[in-house]
Amino acid sequence: MDVFVIEGGRRLAGRLRVNGSKNAALPLMAAALMSDQPVVLRDVPDLADIRNMLRLLAELGCHKTNEGGARDVMCLHATERSNSHARYDIVRTMRAGICVLGPLLARRGYCRVSMPGGCAIGDRPIDLHLRGMRALGAEVSMESGDIIVKAPPGGLKGATIFLGGTFGSTVLGTANVMCAAAVAQGKTIIESAACEPEVTDLASLLTKMGAKISGAGSPRIIVEGVAQLGGADHTVIPDRIEAGTFMMAAGITNGDLILENCPTDALLSTIDRLNAVGVEIEPIEILRPAGFTADPLRQVVRVTCGRVIKPVEVTTQPHPGFPTDLQAQLMALLTLADGNSVITERIFPERFLHVAELLRMGAKIFRQGPTVIVSGVRQLTGAPVMASDLRASACLVLAGLAAEGTTLVNRVYHLDRGYERMEHRLADVGARITRISEKDAGVAEASG
Ligand code: EPZ
């Protein structure tokens, strides 16, 4: 297992490009199961979760056929259908494996997917996914920890489905139902659908493949079923969570970063809270050939922050509210604010494993249930800390960038699931950060 060694206190300055979105790419890859024609995806990040999804798709008969081609382009071709079982061994490493459920059911009328367990961010039920499948006429059963879903003899039938749950809508549940409904007979209306940009991106890929979908990005999605889907060529949207993480890295280091390929339009609540903190995000005008208009999901922005970080109140919410996937990183920034901030987590109320680690670096944080009060301190101090999930790891890296002295972030394999070459990209803009093995880290700690 690898460890990041961070020498804190260095101001970040320079240019970074935001990669394609992991959380958009995973359901897009699964959608390749729905056609016997190739699906080409561009700007796919090189991440552990993406490689795991490729492994899962290969087991299900859908292969990457452009090995050796451009690193971020993936041509996926579903050539055989003999295995429709997403095994526990793979799904347990990557909860997003659940997003093969809708595509497999749509194309093969049958699937067996290992029930994903909980994870470090809390319970992760899938009752809403299954409610959607049942509403389309599928029969759902459980066997040895696997969910088995079968289409009725006449095929799936469109229906009106309410997908809202206790904690709001479900992103991957909406993706699964949208995929299954794309080839069901008749019209499906998904009410209380997730409005996340990743759902909209999936709807655009499915539309290119021949599906008839309207309303994606709003709480009501309407799908008119078609007989079959073809191939498509699609560029993944930029990663709004990576962009937000870099914005907070600029904020916590009093930095000055230019972000390219920045999905500003998908980050309005984040930008609102960051502006309140004192982080400025300004679009940079670039000259375009006549006829080309700016894409609000692919902007160039300059991110700067003065020395004073102001305290804020923030509550995580489904999109377009403040994303739960940036809560931990914002908390790192607020540990250095000039006053008390309040963070309430409304999507995953247990997603606070980073709190205890921030305390080890000198932060002042008081948690009660889903609410945390962060009392800003003047300085964090470097310490060995343990990453527990993907975004908690990003939070600890940000804290390490600002802390006085050396921070060792253990278990960075969590970070590798969602941020490509994070240490190199941060080092390119001035961070002092290196990756070493756990064995060497033990030596560094003992001697340091
Ligand atoms: C997606 O997970 C993301 N994962 C998560 O990204 C993200 O945190 C989450 O959406 C919320 O934005 C991917 O896209 C691969 P949900 P998903 O179903 O779809 C409850 C990251 O760090 N719920 O929208 O699995 C659930 O418990 C991560 O990249 C039910 O009650 O999340 C939660 O409280 C991790 N029943 C809320 O809904 C269900 O059937 C939202 O979860 C499904 C969900």
Side-chain angles (χ1 to χ4, degrees), residues 7-295:
E7 299 295 336
R10 299 185 43 109
R11 184 167 182 262
L12 299 192
R15 283 181 104 85
L16 284 171
R17 181 183 183 275
V18 177
N19 281 345
S21 157
K22 162 185 89 82
N23 286 349
L26 292 167
L28 296 177
M29 290 168 71
L33 289 164
M34 295 175 67
S35 171
D36 54 14
Q37 301 296 311
V39 170
V40 176
L41 299 176
R42 299 178 190 275
D43 209 5
V44 182
D46 183 16
L47 300 168
D49 272 11
I50 298 288
R51 289 189 289 274
N52 278 331
M53 180 58 99
L54 269 182
R55 205 154 60 89
L56 174 58
L57 290 181
E59 285 200 8
L60 299 172
C62 178
H63 300 274
K64 182 176 175 213
T65 56
N66 63 325
E67 292 300 345
R71 193 186 51 79
D72 60 345
V73 179
M74 194 177 269
C75 178
L76 297 170
H77 197 178
T79 44
E80 17 124 7
R81 302 196 215 165
S82 53
N83 178 27
S84 299
H85 183 188
R87 292 180 306 113
Y88 179 65
D89 273 1
I90 300 192
V91 176
R92 81 186 162 83
T93 61
M94 181 201 43
R95 212 191 160 282
I98 192 68
C99 61
V100 299
L101 186 117
L104 283 177
L105 183 67
R107 181 81 181 119
R108 304 181 187 180
Y110 170 87
C111 71
R112 180 172 183 141
V113 180
S114 173
M115 176 93 173
C119 67
I121 67 177
D123 295 342
R124 308 280 301 269
I126 55 159
D127 54 310
L128 298 171
H129 301 232
L130 301 182
R131 181 200 289 183
M133 299 305 144
R134 284 197 184 97
L136 294 171
E139 186 191 293
V140 179
S141 57
M142 282 281 296
E143 196 182 305
S144 313
D146 293 339
I147 313 145
I148 299 173
V149 187
K150 286 184 197 156
L156 299 172
K157 286 210 172 54
T160 295
I161 306 168
F162 181 76
L163 268 196
T166 321
F167 297 101
S169 47
T170 162
V171 179
L172 293 180
T174 303
N176 268 328
V177 175
M178 205 162 63
C179 286
V183 291
Q185 293 162 43
K187 185 197 276 193
T188 297
I189 302 177
I190 308 174
E191 296 285 4
S192 198
C195 303
E196 270 66 5
E198 294 76 19
V199 171
T200 312
D201 204 32
L202 175 61
S204 11
L205 171 69
L206 293 173
T207 304
K208 287 178 192 169
M209 292 168 75
K212 292 196 174 139
I213 300 174
S214 60
S218 81
R220 175 181 292 166
I221 299 179
I222 301 175
V223 186
E224 296 280 354
V226 295
Q228 60 181 29
L229 299 182
D233 190 322
H234 182 78
T235 303
V236 181
I237 52 167
D239 195 320
R240 63 194 169 103
I241 305 303
E242 184 176 273
T245 304
F246 287 149
M247 287 173 181
M248 293 176 201
I252 204 167
T253 62
N254 177 32
D256 186 349
L257 288 180
I258 307 256
L259 299 185
E260 293 168 6
N261 204 35
C262 181
T264 317
D265 208 40
L267 278 163
L268 298 183
S269 56
T270 302
I271 291 174
D272 174 71
R273 290 298 74 198
L274 285 177
N275 286 162
V277 165
V279 179
E280 297 297 331
I281 295 133
E282 297 295 335
I284 295 179
E285 283 306 320
I286 41 178
L287 286 176
R288 289 187 179 75
F292 279 78
T293 47
D295 178 348

